[in-house]
Amino acid sequence: MTFEEKLKKCSASEVWQEYCGFLDFSMGEYMQVQNRLLMEQILLLSRCPLGKRLFGDKPPRSIEEFRSKVPLTSYADYADILLLKKEDQLPAPAVTWLKTTWEGGSMPAKWAPYSQAMLDTYKTNILAAMLLSTSNGRGDFHVRSAARVLYSLAPMPYATGMFPDLIASEMNLHFLPPVREARKVSFSQQTKKGYELGMKGGMDLFFGMSSILYGASRNLASGAGGSIKDLARRLIGMTPQMLWRLLSALYRCRRDGTALLPKDLFRLDGFVCVGTDSAMYKDELEAMWGRRPLELAGGTEPSCMGTETWSKNGLCFFPDACFYEFIPEDEMRRNLKDPTYVPRTYLMNELVANQNYELVITVLKGGAFARYRVGDVYRCLRLKNQSDGIDFPQFEYVDRIPTVIDISGFTRITEREIAKVLDLSYLPIQNWFALKEYDANNHSFLHLYAEMKPQATAAAASGKEIIQEHLGVYFRYYDGDYKDLKKLLGVDPLQVTILPSGTLEKYRQTFGEEIDRINPPKERVLCLLHISEEGAMTCL
């Protein structure tokens, strides 16, 4: 029976229980599912060459043995198999392969295999998120067949591109624009066309990347107050309902002197956002659309991993997508300073509230990744949510690990990539560090602090804009994802600050160590800037 048939033939409580019943789990029940599925995954791995590489000749016989015997892994541990798509090495046949960025322009794209069981789980969890996005309370949801869905996510072979194909076998949705048409145009054209169709006939559900939703929402009604000719063009093909909403909204906005907002035109049943900067945009998206977006957690390697509930105040990880381990922040930072140090991991039932953790996953149901460091940091908000009746931890996404700068979910910039760009530019930069910062509109950007060679310092002081533009050209040349940022979001993702010559050497003398090249602690940055201004150290 398809999801659409279940909506018609089953009670709301039965549908809710099938897809969202995991929210009723006790902590013990949650861990039982985790442990059972991990032991099944260990068995699958033990029968394939990849598992033999991880386990040796003797597979783990328990969860404890698995965690003590199998080392923490990164994509480099799988690259020779996955980049060449060697399916005979995997624990289960790959039905499809999905792609994501590895390290911007300096490394090839990562590929991840998906088994049929993984796709089935992905589909079930996406449907659960759809129910929750329309929900105002436990068991209360409003999902309807033939809903019009504005879909503003990256196409295949990226993970979000699977959503239309997976849903097609379960229910009838009208995507804006239609999937076949959307896959023939660029991402930006797809989003623009979807908005135009939504303006003509309305929309019921909205799936999109948070940064794109924010930029597009601000421009949704652009031109609504323009010339008669522009207004007439927008009215052509509108349904009577949308025409009435638009004209009524225009009248109210001009009468009250307010801006036209999406909530003046649309009545969304559900609103789903993804992306690493979702938390920065959700309040403003809610103000513009009149409905708070539901945030999803996931990625190419872990698939759809977590969702918020009807309260939209914390992520719950699906127990059947991955087996989860967590590295405390202090252990993570110690390991980043000393790669030979093996950080400790903790399980879901061993966490501490209000602490940050680096996520470690073992993909279940035939996945390729075991004890894999995804590169994401989450904060454990609470161990249970009594008001919502949830008995296991909830999380919020914090950021990528400190050695990676993720800009609006589009590109991952590392020390190696910045060094390569600086080499290509031939600019007389002697030393540098970079960190992720946010502007007044909560747009993230890469802030590069550069110290020029002594003979170039005077020229640099008067030509900072030239240096910034010069580096921007090379970033766009070297990293295709970076190039899309300015085009899609309309923001400059790079700022440059020129430091006086000798600043970083004074910092080294003060602290006895070099400043971290990527995302140094903010208090250290403040101290360094004080050194550059005063030439002396008077802070912590």
Side-chain angles (χ1 to χ4, degrees):
M1 191 183 303
T2 66
F3 181 72
E4 188 168 339
E5 291 171 336
K6 292 171 186 174
L7 290 175
K8 295 176 181 177
K9 299 179 180 179
C10 300
S11 67
S13 62
E14 289 173 324
V15 174
W16 180 271
Q17 185 60 35
E18 178 174 350
Y19 292 93
C20 301
F22 75 98
L23 296 173
D24 296 329
F25 285 175
S26 67
M27 186 73 258
E29 290 170 332
Y30 188 101
M31 291 309 299
Q32 285 177 7
V33 173
Q34 284 271 280
N35 294 341
R36 174 178 58 82
L37 293 177
L38 178 59
M39 292 308 299
E40 292 177 4
Q41 177 64 14
I42 289 172
L43 181 60
L44 290 174
L45 281 167
S46 68
R47 296 170 176 171
C48 72
L50 174 59
K52 289 180 170 58
R53 173 192 292 189
L54 294 168
F55 300 156
D57 295 331
K58 191 176 180 182
R61 293 170 295 180
S62 66
I63 307 298
E64 294 75 17
E65 188 178 349
F66 170 78
R67 295 175 64 203
S68 63
K69 183 174 184 177
V70 179
L72 298 172
T73 62
S74 66
Y75 196 81
D77 296 304
Y78 307 88
D80 60 326
I81 293 175
L82 301 186
L83 293 182
L84 298 178
K85 299 183 180 179
K86 296 181 179 178
E87 297 193 19
D88 60 336
Q89 307 286 302
L90 303 176
V95 175
T96 190
W97 290 80
L98 299 183
K99 172 186 177 182
T100 190
T101 301
W102 190 345
E103 283 190 20
S106 62
M107 300 290 281
K110 294 188 289 187
W111 288 92
Y114 277 59
S115 68
Q116 185 59 57
M118 289 175 62
L119 290 176
D120 292 341
T121 301
Y122 191 152
K123 177 167 59 178
T124 299
N125 292 340
I126 282 290
L127 291 170
M130 185 185 300
L131 290 174
L132 288 163
S133 73
T134 69
S135 174
N136 294 312
R138 186 182 294 273
D140 173 24
F141 61 88
H142 181 61
V143 175
R144 45 181 153 168
S145 177
R148 292 170 60 85
V149 182
L150 198 155
Y151 182 70
S152 181
L153 293 170
M156 288 287 285
Y158 297 96
T160 53
M162 284 200 305
F163 171 64
D165 294 329
L166 291 175
I167 295 299
S169 63
E170 294 290 329
M171 70 180 304
N172 177 35
L173 294 177
H174 295 313
F175 288 100
L176 309 176
V179 175
R180 184 174 298 179
E181 179 182 338
R183 288 174 175 169
K184 295 178 181 178
V185 298
S186 68
F187 188 21
S188 57
Q189 290 174 318
Q190 169 193 328
T191 302
K192 181 180 179 181
K193 182 64 175 178
Y195 269 108
E196 290 176 354
L197 293 171
M199 286 289 292
K200 301 290 186 185
M203 68 179 83
D204 305 305
L205 297 170
F206 198 167
F207 285 76
M209 182 174 287
S210 303
S211 54
I212 297 296
L213 296 183
Y214 177 77
S217 298
R218 295 185 67 183
N219 298 323
L220 177 62
S222 62
S227 66
I228 298 297
K229 182 178 178 180
D230 290 336
L231 181 58
R233 179 179 55 80
R234 295 170 70 87
L235 299 181
I236 296 174
M238 272 192 173
T239 63
Q241 183 182 46
M242 285 303 298
L243 178 61
W244 173 253
R245 286 183 182 176
L246 176 60
L247 295 177
S248 299
L250 287 173
Y251 169 76
R252 289 195 305 272
C253 291
R254 290 179 178 176
R255 180 195 66 194
D256 301 335
T258 58
L260 181 69
L261 295 173
K263 66 183 179 182
D264 297 319
L265 303 174
F266 305 107
R267 309 289 185 268
L268 293 180
D269 295 331
F271 187 2
V272 179
C273 67
V274 300
T276 54
D277 286 341
S278 291
M280 306 301 298
Y281 297 106
K282 287 170 68 176
D283 288 344
E284 290 184 77
L285 287 171
E286 181 180 14
M288 287 189 281
W289 286 88
R291 187 176 186 90
R292 190 163 183 81
L294 177 132
E295 183 180 351
L296 296 184
T300 300
E301 297 96 319
S303 75
C304 182
M305 185 181 68
T307 179
E308 290 187 306
T309 68
W310 53 90
S311 296
K312 301 179 179 67
N313 63 353
L315 292 158
C316 296
F317 288 170
F318 294 112
D320 56 353
C322 301
F323 181 84
Y324 307 106
E325 297 179 69
F326 301 87
I327 300 174
E329 185 174 24
D330 58 346
E331 291 279 298
M332 172 191 69
R333 292 189 178 277
R334 180 176 174 182
N335 172 243
L336 291 174
K337 289 283 188 182
D338 176 12
T340 64
Y341 175 73
V342 179
R344 293 175 293 177
T345 68
Y346 295 84
L347 301 183
M348 187 72 76
N349 60 345
E350 299 173 326
L351 302 183
V352 176
N354 299 312
Q355 298 295 316
N356 291 348
Y357 296 91
E358 179 190 348
L359 182 65
V360 176
I361 60 166
T362 297
V363 180
L364 303 171
K365 302 189 177 182
F369 302 100
R371 305 203 76 212
Y372 179 72
R373 300 178 77 164
V374 184
D376 290 329
V377 175
Y378 286 86
R379 184 172 185 80
C380 178
L381 293 175
R382 58 190 72 89
L383 300 182
K384 58 178 63 180
N385 187 330
Q386 293 184 342
S387 61
D388 287 351
I390 296 172
D391 194 41
F392 51 87
Q394 288 182 286
F395 301 86
E396 68 176 355
Y397 183 84
V398 176
D399 209 335
R400 301 289 294 174
I401 58 174
T403 54
V404 177
I405 297 177
D406 181 293
I407 306 296
S408 297
F410 272 83
T411 188
R412 297 166 185 172
I413 300 171
T414 64
E415 178 178 347
R416 174 165 43 188
E417 185 171 21
I418 295 176
K420 184 66 175 179
V421 167
L422 296 180
D423 287 342
L424 288 171
S425 73
Y426 287 100
L427 288 169
I429 293 176
Q430 177 173 270
N431 211 336
W432 60 272
F433 67 91
L435 65 157
K436 178 178 179 177
E437 294 185 352
Y438 294 87
D439 64 18
N441 294 317
N442 282 332
H443 286 302
S444 56
F445 63 90
L446 168 66
H447 196 159
L448 180 70
Y449 291 83
E451 185 178 308
M452 311 302 288
K453 294 178 181 178
Q455 62 272 24
T457 302
S462 60
K464 186 186 76 168
E465 292 78 9
I466 296 175
I467 293 172
Q468 181 166 319
E469 177 58 28
H470 196 148
L471 288 176
V473 168
Y474 279 97
F475 270 112
R476 292 190 291 273
Y477 161 76
Y478 189 60
D479 185 343
D481 294 325
Y482 181 96
K483 180 173 61 178
D484 292 334
L485 279 168
K486 196 165 187 177
K487 178 169 39 173
L488 290 173
L489 302 183
V491 298
D492 191 339
L494 174 66
Q495 289 191 22
V496 176
T497 294
I498 304 300
L499 298 171
S501 181
T503 299
L504 292 168
E505 174 58 24
K506 291 177 183 176
Y507 176 93
R508 187 191 64 78
Q509 293 174 1
T510 300
F511 286 99
E513 62 182 11
E514 305 284 350
I515 194 166
D516 296 339
R517 278 288 179 87
I518 301 294
N519 285 327
K522 291 182 180 179
E523 61 271 17
R524 292 296 179 94
V525 175
L526 291 174
C527 291
L528 183 141
L529 294 178
H530 188 80
I531 291 173
S532 72
E533 293 174 359
E534 304 294 336
M537 182 65 192
T538 58
C539 57
L540 292 177

